[in-house]
Amino acid sequence: MKPPLHLPRRLLLQRLPLLASASALTACGEGLLRPPTRFVDDPYAVAREASTLNTLLALAYKAVDGYAQGLARLATLRDDPSRPPEERDLAGVVYAVESAFQRHHADHVALLTHAVRALDSTPVRPQDARYQAPGELRSSVANLLKLAANEERRASIGVNLVVEGLGVAEHRFIVAAIEGTLTQHHQVLEALVATLFQVAPAFDPARAFPQSYVSSTTDVGGGAGLQEQPDLAIDG
């Protein structure tokens, strides 16, 4: 058995913004920008399709808003001269990572909005899809990382569960591509938490990438999914 991979903290801090910027390129490439195929033979099917896409659009809007709230807290931690320099540096690194992830969610908003309008339907409004942070959340870099990781995991599972119900192949392709990005976000954030804030001698890939599937596939001969993993505990 190979020993866990050791990542020097300084190298990790230097490389993570690059990792965050590149993590979703394959899932959000230009191939997704072609117009979705419209189907008009069944108005009820069109309505169901638009409703499902709007639900996913609301989820993407909430992610953008949630990251906006988290980034505001991180900026406060980063710019507070009374805090230790290492904490301020960590806040700056996490700010860069979460800024990249917020941009990915904004791209998802644009694409899902396009898909809903292609069905001659009205997209949900951002003001109707605000993120509500836990009321007891204490601002710290660790807590904000854990909250983002938990929310990305939940989002990836939720998106995965609705892919099969979409009636248009191009919509399934779009949503599956978005789901892949959400899962990448979750894994990067979990790795950051494990490396920077948990008491461990080294980064253990087995802990950062625990499941082979997003959702459970046991009913079709696969295995457990990410919903089997507990949320990261947030300090009160």
Side-chain angles (χ1 to χ4, degrees):
M1 179 181 298
K2 294 183 179 179
L5 176 65
H6 291 266
L7 295 178
R9 179 182 290 258
R10 182 176 297 276
L11 178 61
L12 181 70
L13 294 180
Q14 291 172 345
R15 298 294 174 82
L16 273 170
L18 294 176
L19 172 63
S21 298
S23 65
L25 290 179
T26 56
C28 297
E30 293 181 356
L32 292 181
L33 299 180
R34 62 183 182 274
T37 301
R38 296 183 68 242
F39 58 114
V40 295
D41 56 327
D42 184 350
Y44 295 103
V46 173
R48 285 195 302 271
E49 191 87 354
S51 177
T52 300
L53 291 173
N54 254 331
T55 299
L56 296 171
L57 177 57
L59 187 67
Y61 271 129
K62 285 184 177 181
V64 171
D65 186 47
Y67 273 117
Q69 296 177 36
L71 289 169
R73 293 186 185 225
L74 285 167
T76 299
L77 295 171
R78 179 197 62 196
D79 300 335
D80 185 353
S82 68
R83 294 188 175 272
E86 184 178 39
E87 181 184 7
R88 295 180 63 188
D89 288 345
L90 286 175
V93 169
V94 176
Y95 186 96
V97 172
E98 295 198 1
S99 293
F101 290 175
Q102 185 194 42
R103 290 193 296 272
H104 299 164
H105 287 288
D107 287 343
H108 302 163
V109 164
L111 186 56
L112 289 167
T113 298
H114 175 71
V116 172
R117 286 177 174 158
L119 295 174
D120 292 333
S121 296
T122 302
V124 67
R125 302 179 304 172
Q127 58 266 37
D128 296 327
R130 299 297 189 190
Y131 176 75
Q132 183 64 46
E136 72 282 1
L137 180 66
R138 179 176 62 86
S139 283
S140 70
V141 179
N143 275 353
L144 293 168
L145 263 179
K146 291 174 183 178
L147 179 63
N150 291 340
E151 296 296 349
E152 292 281 9
R153 181 178 66 89
R154 274 192 280 271
S156 66
I157 295 167
V159 170
N160 181 253
L161 292 174
V162 304
V163 172
E164 185 180 9
L166 289 166
V168 177
E170 288 184 356
H171 292 164
R172 292 194 295 273
F173 171 69
I174 289 169
V175 174
I178 289 173
E179 177 211 333
T181 302
L182 305 183
T183 308
Q184 291 178 55
H185 290 178
H186 165 251
Q187 303 295 6
V188 169
L189 293 166
E190 284 253 9
L192 271 171
V193 171
T195 304
L196 299 177
F197 297 104
Q198 293 181 352
V199 180
F203 171 62
D204 184 356
R207 294 182 61 193
F209 311 104
Q211 302 292 353
S212 300
Y213 306 98
V214 175
S215 299
S216 174
T217 57
T218 54
D219 290 347
V220 291
L226 288 177
Q227 68 262 53
E228 304 297 327
Q229 300 299 117
D231 277 349
L232 295 172
I234 295 174
D235 299 329

